[in-house]
Amino acid sequence: MNFALYKEMLANRPVRRLLLVGMIARIPHSAAGVLLTLHIVLTLGQGYAAAGAAAAIMTIGIALGAPWRGRRVDIVGLRKALIPSIVSEAVIWSLVPHVSYAWLLPLVFVGGLFTLPIFSVVRQSLGVMVDGEQRRGAFALDSIATELVFMIGPAVGAVIATSGLSALGLTAVGLSVSAAGLFLIWFNPPTRSDTACSPEESAERAADELSAAEAAMVASAPGHVQEAASEMAPAVSRAAGLRSRVARNFAWFTVSVAALFAVAAGAGMVLSGSDVSIVGLLERGGHENQIGIVFFFWCAASVVGGLVYGAMNRPVPPMILLLGMAALTIPMGFATDTWSLALLAILPGLLCAPVLSASSEKVADLVDEERRGEAMGWYGSALTGGVALGAPMAGIFIDTVGPGGGFAAVGIGGVVLCLTGLLLLSLRRRAARVPR
């Protein structure tokens, strides 16, 4: 690991300033999920199914808005493109704590639609500011900052919500993100190069940005993958409309790639369902003020698992990794207190980053370079779809079965998905070996 390169990047004032703004802007969003869940349950008196439905609606808004907002940056420039997000973040999250649940749902959808596109802005700007090995070093620093944020943010959100300050906390989320957006407008980091790039340089930059997008998605796991996943599509695929995307040749979409998309959806389902279930189990047990402890262990385990998997010489099939993570999620429902849940969260947490890393790497291996960006955009969509499914699914079982029901629902669902996928792939391989 080249620490001298990191030191050189941090000595670059514009890069250091951009990384700092990106980190500050992500902290409120990392806390928003827990804050919103506990606000709906504790303040509004709704169940966890309602909280999960709100999370799903916000996720759908994020998924729909990310490509459009990224395209606006390309067309009108950073400053004009960020204005709707800055206004929306401040207004929406100031209103959310003071309305009924029926009004909250459309508000969080609009909030998701206009979420400040911090992942793609930071990634795009770093890609222009620095080149070659320095660019990869800057992306690595941003990934490290993201990991730290998503280890700290949920704990902060839980403390604020359980102190009876969820309304203040949600308002602070919007105002803080808006302030970060205003700072970006003032700073105005470049999102496109002033000089023309050769085709080779453009291809290298695009490849580095795609790798950075994958790293950001892994770094934001397990607690908040939907925003990073929704911004995985590169500028090239953003520019095309739905009709042109559908009309393109989907020859790259093989059975193997479809299986990887299923892994992404399954991982999103297990992670978002576990997120809601952790909050539900501790809140029902009267330990809601200790939610941050469990999130810290869960997220830290994901970081360790990612480091260990990255150092391995032989890859592990993504379907096997997801099977392990889903199966190990089920025992979390048997936890009796905060520390038993924190310890039980370590094992599935260790497999979180490896699942996402292995599946995205495999997609990159199976799809030709000229279609890779498109494939990764659809991969991000599959992951986001799984996130939108898992939260309400877990919420329904928490309300009807009990606090541990959410873990069982998403864990068993993930196991069934993997066993079905492994069976179908095995039958396909056998059929391919039979001479015709």
Side-chain angles (χ1 to χ4, degrees):
M1 188 176 289
N2 190 351
F3 289 102
L5 180 61
Y6 290 161
K7 184 178 180 181
E8 184 180 345
M9 286 295 93
L10 292 174
N12 184 323
R13 186 178 178 185
V15 171
R16 183 175 69 244
R17 185 163 51 183
L18 178 62
L19 289 172
L20 181 61
V21 173
M23 186 174 182
I24 292 172
R26 288 173 184 140
I27 290 173
H29 280 176
S30 69
V34 173
L35 268 172
L36 184 63
T37 298
L38 288 173
H39 175 75
I40 291 171
V41 173
L42 298 179
T43 305
L44 298 184
Q46 301 289 326
Y48 282 92
I57 288 172
M58 185 169 67
T59 298
I60 293 169
I62 292 172
L64 293 175
W68 166 71
R69 285 180 285 105
R71 179 60 178 155
R72 291 294 295 171
V73 173
D74 298 333
I75 294 174
V76 303
L78 181 66
R79 285 177 166 169
K80 290 183 179 179
L82 290 186
I83 290 174
S85 292
I86 290 170
V87 174
S88 172
E89 293 276 10
V91 173
I92 294 296
W93 293 105
S94 296
L95 291 175
V96 162
H98 307 291
V99 299
S100 66
Y101 180 74
W103 282 103
L104 181 145
L105 294 178
L107 283 175
V108 296
F109 174 78
V110 175
L113 202 64
F114 288 95
T115 296
L116 189 75
I118 192 64
F119 282 92
S120 57
V121 167
V122 171
R123 186 170 65 242
Q124 203 170 345
S125 297
L126 287 175
V128 174
M129 286 178 167
V130 289
D131 297 314
E133 187 179 357
Q134 288 188 334
R135 183 192 300 134
R136 287 183 283 276
F139 284 151
L141 278 175
D142 184 52
S143 179
I144 292 169
T146 302
E147 289 172 345
L148 291 174
V149 164
F150 288 101
M151 288 171 64
I152 297 169
V156 174
V159 170
I160 293 172
T162 53
S163 300
L165 301 173
S166 62
L168 179 62
L170 288 169
T171 303
V173 164
L175 296 179
S176 300
V177 177
S178 291
L182 288 171
F183 194 90
L184 280 173
I185 285 181
W186 171 75
F187 174 28
N188 195 27
T191 55
R192 65 185 71 180
S193 178
D194 293 330
T195 58
C197 297
S198 67
E200 292 78 11
E201 290 172 333
S202 297
E204 181 185 2
R205 179 176 295 170
D208 285 345
E209 285 193 22
L210 187 58
S211 297
E214 296 172 34
M217 174 195 66
V218 174
S220 62
H224 199 80
V225 295
Q226 63 267 39
E227 190 176 338
S230 69
E231 295 184 18
M232 285 187 67
V236 171
S237 59
R238 288 189 196 124
L242 178 62
R243 183 179 301 175
S244 61
R245 286 203 300 270
V246 172
R248 288 177 182 175
N249 182 9
F250 269 73
W252 56 266
F253 187 66
T254 62
V255 173
S256 297
V257 173
L260 293 170
F261 286 4
V263 168
M269 176 189 71
V270 173
L271 293 177
S272 65
S274 298
D275 188 323
V276 173
S277 298
I278 288 171
V279 177
L281 192 147
L282 292 180
E283 186 272 326
R284 293 284 177 87
H287 306 293
E288 61 270 20
N289 60 334
Q290 298 175 340
I291 289 170
I293 296 172
V294 179
F295 271 95
F296 180 84
F297 274 78
W298 193 34
C299 296
S302 178
V303 174
V304 173
L307 291 173
V308 172
Y309 182 79
M312 292 173 60
N313 294 322
R314 294 182 61 183
V316 180
M319 195 79 74
I320 298 297
L321 290 170
L322 177 59
L323 177 62
M325 185 176 78
L328 291 169
T329 296
I330 299 171
M332 291 175 68
F334 298 105
T336 56
D337 55 25
T338 303
W339 289 105
S340 61
L341 181 59
L343 294 175
L344 287 169
I346 292 175
L347 290 178
L350 286 171
L351 294 176
C352 172
V355 168
L356 299 175
S357 295
S359 54
S360 60
E361 287 171 7
K362 193 67 175 175
V363 171
D365 289 341
L366 292 175
V367 179
D368 291 338
E369 186 175 350
E370 62 269 17
R371 310 305 294 273
R372 194 168 295 157
E374 182 183 359
M376 292 309 300
W378 286 108
Y379 173 89
S381 297
L383 179 59
T384 305
V387 170
L389 173 65
M393 178 179 173
I396 290 170
F397 278 84
I398 292 171
D399 290 342
T400 57
V401 176
F407 294 112
V410 296
I412 292 171
V415 168
V416 171
L417 172 68
C418 291
L419 292 178
T420 303
L422 290 170
L423 176 61
L424 293 175
L425 289 174
S426 176
L427 293 174
R428 179 175 174 270
R429 284 193 292 267
R430 288 183 185 178
R433 288 196 295 265
V434 175
R436 295 183 180 180

